[in-house]
Amino acid sequence: MDDPQEAWLPITESRSGNVVTAVFHLLSSGIGIQALLLPVAFATLGWAWGAICLSLAFTWQLYTIWILVQLHEPIPGSRTRYSRYLQLAIAAFGPRLGKLLAIFPVMYLSGSTCIMLIIKGAGVMELLFKLLCEGGATCDAESLTGAEWFLVFTCMAIALAQRPNLNSIAGFSLFGAMSAIGYCTLIWVLPISRDRPGGVMAGMLDILNANGMIVLAFRGHNLVLEIQGTLPTSLTNPSKRTMWRGVSVSYMIIAMCQFPLAIAGFWAYGNKIPSNGGMLTAFFQFHGHDTSNSVKGLVYLLVVIHCLSSFQIYAMPVFDNLEFRYVSMKNRRCPWWVRFGFRLFFGGLAFFIAVALPFLPRLAPLIGGITLPLTLAYPCFMWILIKKPHQKGHAAEWCLNLGVGCLGIFLSVLLVVAAAWDLAIKGLHASFFKPPL
């Protein structure tokens, strides 16, 4: 906190946040398109095991979030705050091992999430356009190419990304949270109010990949410390109290979105739900004909708004890292034109990768499994290394965190093997520089 550079960087420039802004950020970053695949996992695991695995995954990731919140200020009354995941990893594991373990997962979860938001958001924008012009040959003639839709979405996202710091995008996170709650609710309420497709039943397929879908539906751990870094702290009211209140409220809402989505989606579509797109694809495939264009347009619009809003918060660690390089070299705050240049550079890079690798979402289970320890394992190991419970006579606490951390590493290895095996069997079908039309 005594480092003046902290006041020059986007994540820690403003520490005037509160419970409300923390809830907005957590909801916008914690609910994602991945949640629409939960019914696919239930179609594999069935009712009982699906509910058990979803409950265990929710409890597990909520526990590791609690650890991160506590470790943000590990020593009460000190002026040490770890407002970035990488900083905490270095403090726990040491400079070399901390960077080795944390840099790739943190940058991947920020950068590649933005790339996948471009791919998904642009695709839904195209569907919204075709819905508004009511399809047909004229609509196809006037529509943009896949790369052009990617460019439109990227330009909109970078135009919104000119806010100076994480605390200043709370308004975007509000819209992102509202839109995510909106489409997650609509996408399960509408199917149960209509007739089910014929022949719906449960099936037992790939258990490991199903568990991977459940685990990867929960996201945002790489942003928890950053969000807490926007909160003020004092001896009487440390930031962990405010942050945990925000976490409690936001994850209660996330549970109210994801559990009904998984259960109702599986009830409505069973084994007929497509693995590519999940509930979004299933709804328009089976109920698009008896749903008004206004309702379909609303769902599309909410998805686009959420993608644009999520882009802002997931891009912020990348912006922070770029500006940190400049501040370290120049020892002064970034001028507005340098900040603009960094954001424009990242937007251009993300757009280029999205166009070059439009199949990147197919690799999400594989790379997500590689980065899974950041969510389920590293926080437990960092708690042991920083808090040292075994030296304070808390053997049970030490055993719990060691066991949970090792289990997280083991699960990550299993999910990587399952995802790689799935790709080997089904093939990647890579199409470089060929975005879908």
Side-chain angles (χ1 to χ4, degrees):
M1 291 174 63
D2 294 322
D3 187 354
Q5 292 185 358
E6 288 287 281
W8 299 343
L9 298 174
I11 287 176
T12 49
E13 187 176 43
S14 172
R15 295 192 187 270
S16 57
N18 52 47
V19 175
V20 176
T21 59
V23 169
F24 294 162
H25 290 318
L26 289 165
L27 287 174
S28 182
S29 62
I31 304 176
I33 296 295
Q34 296 94 326
L36 300 180
L37 294 175
L38 287 173
V40 181
F42 269 57
T44 299
L45 299 171
W47 288 109
W49 283 109
I52 291 171
C53 291
L54 182 59
S55 300
L56 287 175
F58 180 82
T59 305
W60 191 345
Q61 58 88 34
L62 191 60
Y63 172 66
T64 54
I65 288 180
W66 178 84
I67 290 177
L68 292 174
V69 171
Q70 301 302 311
L71 292 180
H72 179 82
E73 292 178 273
I75 304 174
S78 72
R79 295 181 62 81
T80 301
R81 295 183 69 177
Y82 299 115
S83 299
R84 296 162 186 84
Y85 199 103
L86 182 59
Q87 289 178 340
L88 182 61
I90 290 173
F93 299 115
R96 297 180 64 180
L97 185 58
K99 291 179 181 179
L100 179 65
L101 294 176
I103 282 183
F104 171 73
V106 169
M107 288 299 104
Y108 166 78
L109 290 173
S110 295
S112 77
T113 298
C114 292
I115 295 167
M116 284 191 268
L117 287 171
I118 291 174
I119 296 172
K120 188 63 176 183
V124 177
M125 284 178 66
E126 183 178 12
L127 294 175
L128 178 60
F129 170 80
K130 290 182 178 180
L131 181 69
L132 292 176
C133 72
E134 298 181 352
T138 304
C139 181
D140 292 335
E142 294 177 354
S143 180
L144 303 175
T145 64
E148 288 170 339
W149 280 114
F150 285 9
L151 182 61
V152 170
F153 182 91
T154 304
C155 290
M156 294 174 65
I158 295 303
L160 295 174
Q162 300 309 311
R163 301 297 298 168
N165 54 64
L166 180 56
N167 200 42
S168 66
I169 65 169
F172 295 148
S173 292
L174 168 61
F175 283 105
M178 293 174 61
S179 58
I181 294 170
Y183 77 73
C184 280
T185 303
L186 282 173
I187 212 70
W188 70 261
V189 169
L190 292 173
I192 64 174
S193 64
R194 289 162 168 75
D195 295 333
R196 301 169 70 190
V200 170
M201 59 180 292
M204 290 297 292
L205 301 173
D206 192 341
I207 295 175
L208 282 177
N209 282 326
N211 279 287
M213 292 176 190
I214 289 176
V215 172
L216 296 178
F218 300 103
R219 60 182 199 163
H221 277 61
N222 60 310
L223 296 170
V224 170
L225 294 171
E226 285 79 352
I227 294 170
Q228 192 170 349
T230 65
L231 303 177
T233 188
S234 65
L235 285 173
T236 56
N237 187 28
S239 64
K240 63 183 180 181
R241 291 183 185 174
T242 306
M243 184 64 179
W244 186 245
R245 286 198 292 268
V247 170
S248 301
V249 173
S250 60
Y251 274 83
M252 185 182 302
I253 297 173
I254 289 173
M256 292 169 61
C257 289
Q258 294 190 346
F259 278 82
L261 177 64
I263 295 170
F266 179 49
W267 178 88
Y269 301 118
N271 64 331
K272 288 184 174 292
I273 189 164
S275 58
N276 184 19
M279 281 291 289
L280 194 63
T281 302
F283 174 73
F284 290 105
Q285 178 180 334
F286 294 112
H287 293 115
H289 64 281
D290 58 355
T291 302
S292 66
N293 283 350
S294 58
V295 173
K296 290 188 286 188
L298 177 60
V299 173
Y300 287 146
L301 182 61
L302 290 174
V303 172
V304 172
I305 292 173
H306 179 243
C307 288
L308 286 169
S309 302
S310 292
F311 186 97
Q312 311 308 312
I313 191 167
Y314 274 95
M316 196 58 70
V318 180
F319 299 155
D320 185 86
N321 190 46
L322 292 172
E323 292 189 30
F324 172 74
R325 305 301 172 187
Y326 178 90
V327 167
S328 299
M329 289 189 296
K330 300 292 186 179
N331 197 29
R332 60 187 174 93
R333 187 189 300 268
C334 271
W336 70 268
W337 57 272
V338 174
R339 180 170 282 179
F340 174 79
F342 282 148
R343 283 155 169 72
L344 192 62
F345 166 76
F346 174 72
L349 181 62
F351 166 73
F352 174 79
I353 297 175
V355 173
L357 308 174
F359 55 88
L360 190 61
R362 298 175 192 167
L363 296 175
L366 176 65
I367 307 179
I370 296 173
T371 61
L372 190 61
L374 183 142
T375 299
L376 300 182
Y378 294 165
C380 300
F381 296 143
M382 291 190 289
W383 178 270
I384 292 173
L385 293 170
I386 293 177
K387 290 293 188 178
K388 297 179 172 59
H390 59 288
Q391 295 181 2
K392 302 175 183 178
H394 300 154
E397 182 181 314
W398 181 86
C399 292
L400 171 65
N401 284 285
L402 182 63
V404 171
C406 292
L407 186 60
I409 297 292
F410 180 68
L411 179 60
S412 174
V413 172
L414 287 181
L415 294 184
V416 169
V417 171
W421 184 257
D422 189 61
L423 286 173
I425 294 176
K426 298 180 180 178
L428 180 58
H429 307 295
S431 54
F432 296 95
F433 294 98
K434 292 182 180 179
L437 299 176

